Amino acid sequence: MAVTTKPASSLSGDNILRNSYIEEIKSVQVGGFVASKVGHKITLTIQTTNVSNDTELYSYYDGSTLLMQIKIIYTNSTREIIQSVERVA
């Protein structure tokens, strides 16, 4: 591995998760991500509208650069019980 003094990019998905994590309450907060920089945004895309396995895709952007995507699958159409949460990009 090369030795470098170049700082890591703030545009990596790992840095977004690291900067959004609140150690004291063991939680990820999206408000901090949005408020931390002008141009940060989170979009929601509904991928399915079936009675079971309703799926939401959250995309995190810095301007027009996609930083990461989180997919949430629910057990039914009420979206009250989460089946799974996965980082997909």
Side-chain angles (χ1 to χ4, degrees):
M1 178 185 278
V3 176
T4 181
T5 58
K6 181 179 176 183
S9 169
S10 63
L11 298 180
S12 76
D14 290 339
N15 281 338
I16 297 304
L17 287 175
R18 193 174 297 112
N19 292 334
S20 299
Y21 184 72
I22 303 168
E23 176 65 33
E24 294 77 15
I25 60 173
K26 308 286 191 248
S27 177
V28 174
Q29 180 177 331
V30 297
F33 170 74
V34 174
S36 68
K37 182 179 176 187
V38 172
H40 276 184
K41 70 178 176 180
I42 302 170
T43 63
L44 167 62
T45 304
I46 305 296
Q47 293 192 310
T48 62
T49 55
N50 298 328
V51 173
S52 60
N53 299 328
D54 260 4
T55 304
E56 298 175 341
L57 181 68
Y58 290 87
S59 301
Y60 291 69
Y61 290 92
D62 181 9
S64 60
T65 303
L66 176 65
L67 301 176
M68 84 174 161
Q69 291 180 312
I70 303 291
K71 181 186 282 189
I72 302 175
I73 301 174
Y74 296 89
T75 58
N76 59 40
S77 62
T78 65
R79 297 187 184 143
E80 293 177 0
I81 301 173
I82 294 175
Q83 178 178 315
S84 68
V85 177
E86 177 184 6
R87 179 177 171 185
V88 294

